[in-house]
Every structure is written in C-alpha cells, then in structure tokens.
Amino acid sequence: MVAEAQNLKVSVWRGTGETGEFETFDVPSCESQTVLDVVSWIQQQADPTLTYRFACRVGMCGSCAMMVNGIPRWTCRTHVKKVCENNSLSIEPLRNMPVIKDLVADMDPFFDKWVSAEALHHPTSTRDDAITPVDATTPERQAADAGIECINCGICYAACDTVAGNADYLGPAALQRAWTLLNDAKDGGRTAILDAVSGSGGCHNCHSMGSCTRYCPNALDPMSAIAGLKRETFRHALRRKRNA
C-alpha cells in the first residue's frame, strides 16, 4: 500500500504596496513539483484572486522570479523537494522593489537604473552603413559576451544587500550591462557609461559580497563585471586628471 503524500504548508505574501501579511495554504505534494506549480495550484484551486507573474515556464523569460524561503529564485525551475523545509514553503515577491500586489513586484525602478547607468546601446553607425564584422576572439568581446545572456529577471537585484541599504545604488544587472557595452566595439558611449557608473550610486558602492553572482540562474558573474567597472572608472579619472 502506497502512503498518501503529505500536504505542503505554503505561506504566501498577500497584499498591496507596503501593506500585507502571509496567508497559509495546504497544497497537495506531487512528484517533480516546482514552486510555480504550487503557486498555480493555489490560484486555480484555492484562491483565484492570487496575483503572480509567469510566462514561458521553462526558465527562459525570468518573469516568475520570487523569494522562496528568503532566497530569490526562478520558481519554474525550482523543485519543491530541493527547497522545502519541514514540509513548508514561504513565497514572497522579489525584495528591493515596490510590491504591486501579492507576488508581483514593480520592476520599473530596476529598469530605470539601466537608463541611469547608460546601459543602453549607443550606436556608431546607421542602418544604411555596412555591417562591421566583430572579432569574437578579442579580450574585449569575450568580456562583453560573458554577461550578454542576462534576461533582466531581477534575481541579482533582489539578492543584493547593497541595493537593500542604498536606494540610489544602480544594482548588479544595470552595471553588468554597462560593462558589456563598455567592451562592445560597436558601442560609442564609453565616456557616458564611465561617467554614469562612477557617480554616487555607481559601481564603487559595491561591497563585493557576491550574492548577485551566487544566485544568478544563468550562472553569470555580475560581481566580476562590477570589478571591471571599478578599474576602468579609476583609469578614466586618472586620464582626465592628466589631461586637465
């Protein structure tokens, strides 16, 4: 006789803005169950008003990112058995961002900091110009390629204690993107990027704790990118001083 699976005790954050509380649900435990499966079961079977985000369900879009037992994760690729503690789960919206409702965080501040970091492509040619080949073997291109798979899920931003303590800090994702563009031969914004990331909320605020790199689901290394920005902004400042 097969023993009946024990239900999971799932505490889910409910509320809007800064107001809310945890609500606990009993969720059937299943084989190969992901945290997103759990959230979906609650919304479909227990409370249809539960608000959350998801899209691809296969770890490509990052929109299902949430805090699971205090750690930011993609819920679609997080199996319950690997994170469940005493048959219990705690699920919250990503930290370091405003909460819109329940498990949905407001990503606007996250993307606003990309703009503040000049983490946007600065064209050096037009669509009418011939396409210039890119040499994939150069150290600069390899540095750019190292962070190019970022999908803007916000995991590193939610994991960052510097962001938690300093609302002006640009954050790991924006700074990593700035580093990618700084090393891109087709980007013409080198001075603008270095000026943007060396300001009061820039790369020198990073304490190199490494949470961004530790929790990145795509195995990227924002901490090393930020270290590269620290070196380049220092060199940039020295060059300016010599030329003054």
Side-chain angles (χ1 to χ4, degrees):
M1 182 176 180
V2 179
E4 185 177 346
Q6 189 175 10
N7 281 357
L8 301 168
K9 294 288 185 182
V10 184
S11 297
V12 179
W13 181 257
R14 308 300 305 276
T16 58
E18 297 181 359
T19 304
E21 61 184 3
F22 282 99
E23 184 176 355
T24 302
F25 298 89
D26 287 328
V27 179
S29 177
C30 308
E31 285 294 322
S32 301
Q33 186 178 27
T34 67
V35 174
L36 182 58
D37 290 334
V38 168
V39 174
S40 297
W41 187 95
I42 293 172
Q43 195 271 336
Q44 294 167 11
Q45 305 295 331
D47 187 346
T49 69
L50 177 63
T51 303
Y52 65 107
R53 285 194 186 107
F54 75 96
C56 71
R57 300 184 70 94
V58 292
M60 295 294 291
C61 70
S63 60
C64 69
M66 304 172 199
M67 304 297 294
V68 181
N69 289 350
I71 295 174
R73 300 179 182 274
W74 289 348
T75 56
C76 70
R77 290 179 59 178
T78 301
H79 285 263
V80 170
K81 289 185 178 180
K82 293 184 178 180
V83 296
C84 192
E85 298 175 356
N86 298 320
N87 218 46
S88 299
L89 286 175
S90 172
I91 307 175
E92 305 169 70
L94 289 178
R95 73 168 186 156
N96 297 336
M97 304 178 200
V99 177
I100 297 175
K101 183 176 184 292
D102 298 341
L103 300 174
V104 177
D106 183 356
M107 302 286 286
D108 281 352
F110 171 79
F111 288 112
D112 287 345
K113 289 181 178 179
W114 280 54
V115 178
S116 298
E118 289 288 336
L120 307 167
H121 183 59
H122 309 84
T124 55
S125 59
T126 71
R127 67 181 63 190
D128 298 320
D129 297 323
I131 297 176
T132 305
V134 174
D135 185 354
T137 64
T138 66
E140 292 78 15
R141 186 64 242 174
Q142 291 174 5
D145 287 344
I148 207 167
E149 295 300 324
C150 174
I151 62 171
N152 319 322
C153 66
I155 291 284
C156 63
Y157 192 87
C160 180
D161 288 329
T162 303
V163 173
N166 180 359
D168 294 330
Y169 180 51
L170 295 171
L175 291 171
Q176 178 172 252
R177 180 61 176 171
W179 175 246
T180 295
L181 293 175
L182 194 70
N183 286 282
D184 188 341
K186 293 189 175 183
D187 191 273
R190 183 175 183 85
T191 298
I193 292 170
L194 291 173
D195 287 344
V197 303
S198 60
S200 60
C203 59
H204 296 281
N205 287 269
C206 174
H207 297 164
S208 301
M209 297 176 69
S211 296
C212 54
T213 296
R214 177 182 178 186
Y215 292 114
C216 176
N218 269 347
L220 304 183
D221 188 6
M223 186 173 69
S224 293
I226 295 169
L229 287 176
K230 290 178 179 179
R231 293 191 300 270
E232 289 304 313
T233 53
F234 181 70
R235 291 168 181 161
H236 182 59
L238 287 179
R239 285 192 294 269
R240 273 190 168 167
K241 188 174 182 179
R242 285 197 298 265
N243 296 330

